[in-house]
Structure formats: C-alpha cells, structure tokens
C-alpha cells in the first residue's frame, strides 16, 4: 500500500455576516468542533464538521473551498477512502489550487492587521495606515494530485488513478511522485509495456535509482528474449545497493532460468539420446555455477533467509561441492529449528 503522507497547517477562522447572528453562531460552533476534533486527531469527526463549515459559508455567498479541502484531508487521515476520493476529485475538477491572498497594513500605533481586499484598497487613501503588503499562500494543487493518486492506488482503482496521474503530469511533468505512481498504476493494472516504458524514462532521468533498476529487471526477466537485459538491470541495482538481497535472489533465478523445464528435457532424453542429455546436464551445471556468486551474496546480505540457504545447498550439490552442500544442509536445519 502506498503510504499517505499529508502535511497541513489548519488554522481556525473568525466569521462575521452582517445581521446574520444565527449563521455566525452556527459557523463558530461548527468551526470550533472541527478544530477541536482535528487537534485531538479525531479525524473522522473533524471531516464532516469542516464540510459543514464549507456548506454554511457557501449558502451565505462565500464559496471558500479551503474547508472542503480540510474535510477531504481529514477523511483521508481517517481512512474514509471513498469520501476522500470524492472530495479530492471535486477539488481538482473545480480548479482549486488553495492559493489565497492576504492583505495587511500597519496603523499609526504600529499594529499590523489583515483586511479584505476592498478595505485594504480603501485604507491606502488614509494617512493613518502604511506598510501595505499582499502575500499569496502556496498552491496545494500538486498535493491534490499526489494524494488522490495515492488514494485511488490503495483502493485498487487503477484506471481512475492512471487518468488522474496523467492529468497531473500534463500540468506538472517533472513531478517525481506522480511519475512513480504512474509506474505503480501501470503495473497494478497489468499494463506491463507502459510500466517498463515509465521505468526506463525514470532511469534516464535518474540512473542511480536501485529500486527502478530492480523493477526493470523483474519485468525483463519474464520475457526469455530480454533475459540478458534483466541480468544487467539486476547487476546495476546491486552495484548501486550492494546489500540488495531481492536483486541477488532474482539474479540467481534469472541466471539459472527455467530449471523445471531443463530437468524435464534431460529426463526425456536420458534413455534414447544419452549424449544429448549429457550436454544438457553440463549446461545446467554451468548455469548453476554461474549463479553461485550471486547466491552467496544473497546469503551474505540476509544470513537468516532459509531460501538463500536452500538455494546454495542445491547449487553446491549440482556443482559437486558436497562439503559446502552439507554445510548448507546443517544451516537449513538450524534455521528451520529456530523458526519453530
């Protein structure tokens, strides 16, 4: 599951509608309840309360989607995935960016206060105010795309995730997270061709990403025509991350190849074509011998991995190193005994 990391600074607000005391009271009550729940990390309670604030404001002519954003984010934190997806989708489709402009000015006493745009412009005509400043808050649009993509991927809604990711990348083509999510979405949806293409694209930009080299190797190893490329990709991953046990493991299996198929072919030839069977036996022995350095590195990286020990035992047996095979057999028994 993709980890959902959400950074937010939610601030309480003061509301005032002329001659609408009941509305003000409702707003203050809902906003306080939302803030109290959020600060207490009770996100499931905070989410609908922030939406209540949004709806009250909208009913009274203020479509301030920051409160919808707060609601969606709290739904995500509460793992209310469907509600969070619904809200984040609406925010993106509405063009919401989260950018807000604040207007400040300093009075004669030196106090700096925040004003709405109309009042701020009016105060500029007064000699009693100075130091007029306007500042914009950062955009959260990339965060919206990243979070919605994560939610959709975790919900296994891969086709929807791909659509959102592609829309996000059209606006932010250098967003590394969206590129990573795109690879995941293609992989989860079974679109291996596009998955491999995105991996290669990412590696062209960052050739020092061991995980992407490993993932590329895994995909290439599935096709007999690209086994050589897979071996190279695994070796690159190991070069970048010398203790990458999964890369060693997959490299061992890739070098050995389809051993069940090889054994079946040997058995089929033993009786009628023993010379051909012998050639295949020697070729098999050579493949296992070639895999040995990687199997030893795999075991070295994770000494307690019984699978590595079993593989080494088999390799030593096939390559006629009985002393080492016995050593691995004893190690296997030790690890299996410790696991009981």
């Amino acid at each position: 599951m993709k980890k959902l990391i959400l950074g937010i600074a939610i601030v309480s607000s003061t509301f005032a509608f002329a001659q609408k005391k009941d509305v003000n009271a409702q707003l203050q009550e809902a906003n306080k309840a939302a803030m109290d729940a959020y600060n207490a990390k009770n996100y499931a309670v905070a989410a609908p309360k922030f939406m209540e604030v949004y709806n009250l404001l909208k009913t009274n002519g203020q479509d301030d989607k920051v409160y919808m954003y707060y609601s969606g984010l709290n739904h995500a934190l509460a793992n209310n995935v469907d509600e969070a997806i619904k809200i984040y989708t609406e925010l993106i489709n509405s063009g919401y960016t989260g950018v807000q402009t604040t207007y400040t000015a300093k009075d004669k006493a030196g106090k700096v206060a925040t004003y709405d745009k109309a009042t701020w412009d009016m105060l500029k005509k007064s000699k009693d105010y100075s130091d007029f400043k306007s500042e914009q808050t950062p955009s959260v649009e990339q965060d919206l795309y990243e979070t919605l993509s994560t939610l959709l991927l975790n919900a296994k809604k891969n086709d929807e995730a791909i659509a959102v990711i592609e829309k996000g990348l059209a606006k932010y083509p250098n967003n590394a997270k969206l590129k990573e999510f795109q690879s995941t979405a293609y992989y989860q949806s079974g679109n291996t061709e596009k998955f491999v293409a995105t991996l290669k694209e990412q590696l062209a930009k960052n050739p020092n990403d061991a995980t992407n080299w490993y993932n590329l190797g895994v995909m290439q190893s599935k096709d007999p025509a690209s086994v050589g490329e897979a071996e190279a990709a695994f070796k690159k991953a190991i070069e970048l991350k010398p203790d990458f046990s999964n890369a060693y493991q997959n490299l061992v299996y890739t070098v050995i190849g389809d051993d069940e198929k090889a054994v079946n072919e040997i058995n089929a030839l033993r009786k009628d074509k023993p010379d051909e069977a012998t050639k295949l036996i020697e070729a098999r022995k050579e493949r296992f011998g070639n895999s040995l350095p990687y199997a030893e590195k795999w075991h070295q990286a994770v000494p307690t991995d019984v699978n590595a020990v079993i593989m080494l035992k088999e390799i030593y047996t096939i390559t006629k190193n009985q002393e080492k095979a016995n050593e691995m057999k004893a190690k296997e028994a030790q690890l299996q005994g410790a696991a009981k």
Side-chain angles (χ1 to χ4, degrees):
M1 177 180 285
K2 288 286 175 185
K3 188 177 181 182
L4 196 62
I5 302 175
L6 299 165
I8 184 173
I10 295 179
V11 294
S12 185
S13 299
T14 301
F15 309 99
F17 291 107
Q19 299 178 348
K20 293 184 179 180
K21 294 182 180 180
D22 290 343
V23 174
N24 284 332
Q26 284 179 279
L27 277 167
Q28 297 296 349
E29 182 181 351
N31 186 59
K32 184 179 185 306
M35 289 301 304
D36 288 347
Y38 169 73
N39 290 328
K41 301 187 186 306
N42 194 347
Y43 305 120
V45 172
K49 281 296 178 182
F50 277 121
M51 186 57 78
E52 183 181 339
V53 173
Y54 168 74
N55 287 327
L56 282 167
L57 286 168
K58 187 176 181 181
T59 300
N60 287 273
Q62 292 187 21
D63 190 0
D64 192 346
K65 284 187 171 60
V66 69
Y67 295 99
M68 182 189 291
Y69 172 54
Y70 290 168
S71 177
L73 192 144
N74 276 271
H75 274 304
L77 290 169
N79 204 30
N80 296 330
V81 175
D82 289 342
E83 283 298 317
I85 287 173
K86 178 182 176 182
I87 291 172
Y88 273 83
T89 300
E90 184 174 344
L91 287 168
I92 286 174
N93 290 341
S94 72
Y96 176 72
T97 64
V99 175
Q100 293 182 315
T101 305
T102 57
Y103 302 93
T104 60
K106 184 188 295 184
D107 62 19
K108 290 178 69 174
K111 182 180 178 181
V112 177
T114 302
Y115 302 92
D116 62 76
K117 179 66 163 60
T119 303
W120 187 72
D121 285 336
M122 182 182 67
L123 292 177
K124 286 182 176 180
K125 301 174 183 178
S126 171
K127 295 180 180 179
D128 294 334
Y129 293 86
S130 62
D131 201 14
F132 291 89
K133 292 180 180 179
S134 65
E135 295 180 338
Q136 282 192 329
T137 59
S139 172
V140 299
E141 191 171 27
Q142 290 195 67
D143 170 79
L144 294 178
Y145 280 106
E146 291 171 8
T147 303
L148 180 55
S149 299
T150 303
L151 290 165
L152 290 167
L153 287 171
N154 288 346
K156 304 300 180 185
K157 296 182 178 182
N158 299 307
D159 291 341
E160 293 177 47
I162 289 170
V164 169
I165 291 164
E166 289 180 347
K167 184 177 178 181
L169 285 172
K171 299 194 76 169
Y172 305 103
N174 296 320
N175 186 297
K177 285 186 179 179
L178 289 178
K179 275 292 182 184
E180 178 189 342
F181 295 161
Q182 186 180 45
S183 293
T184 302
Y186 285 144
Y187 177 72
Q188 289 184 176
S189 65
N191 195 331
T192 56
E193 186 176 333
K194 285 191 174 181
F195 177 50
V196 169
T198 58
L199 286 174
K200 289 181 177 179
E201 182 183 344
Q202 289 179 60
L203 285 169
K205 294 179 179 178
N206 179 16
N208 295 322
D209 190 323
T211 300
N212 278 343
W213 280 113
Y214 168 75
N215 288 336
L216 181 61
V218 170
M219 300 310 298
Q220 290 173 329
S221 67
K222 297 177 185 294
D223 182 357
S226 58
V227 166
E229 294 174 68
E231 290 183 22
F234 288 134
K235 289 176 182 177
K236 186 65 179 178
I238 290 164
E239 177 187 327
L240 293 166
K241 187 179 178 183
D243 62 345
F244 203 154
S245 61
N246 285 347
Y248 287 117
Q249 180 178 3
N250 278 271
L251 183 53
V252 169
Y253 294 147
T254 302
V255 171
I256 290 173
D258 189 344
D259 193 50
E260 182 179 357
K261 180 182 177 182
V263 170
N264 288 338
E265 290 176 349
I266 290 169
N267 290 335
L269 293 170
R270 279 184 187 278
K271 185 176 180 180
D272 298 325
K273 299 180 180 180
D275 290 342
E276 290 187 28
T278 299
K279 289 180 182 178
L280 293 181
I281 290 169
E282 289 302 316
R284 179 175 183 249
K285 181 179 177 182
E286 183 179 358
R287 289 194 299 273
F288 273 81
N290 290 338
S291 75
L292 177 58
Y294 311 120
E296 289 176 334
K297 286 288 188 179
W298 173 16
H299 176 51
Q300 182 180 329
V302 194
T304 57
D305 187 342
V306 70
N307 293 312
V309 172
I310 292 171
M311 178 54 75
L312 273 172
K313 181 185 70 173
E314 185 174 0
I315 293 172
Y316 287 134
T317 299
I318 291 170
T319 56
K320 307 300 183 183
N321 190 335
Q322 199 55 49
E323 182 181 350
K324 279 289 189 178
N326 291 337
E327 182 183 325
M328 289 300 111
K329 185 176 180 180
K331 182 70 174 178
E332 177 188 357
Q334 179 187 348
L335 290 172
Q336 290 178 337
K340 292 181 180 179

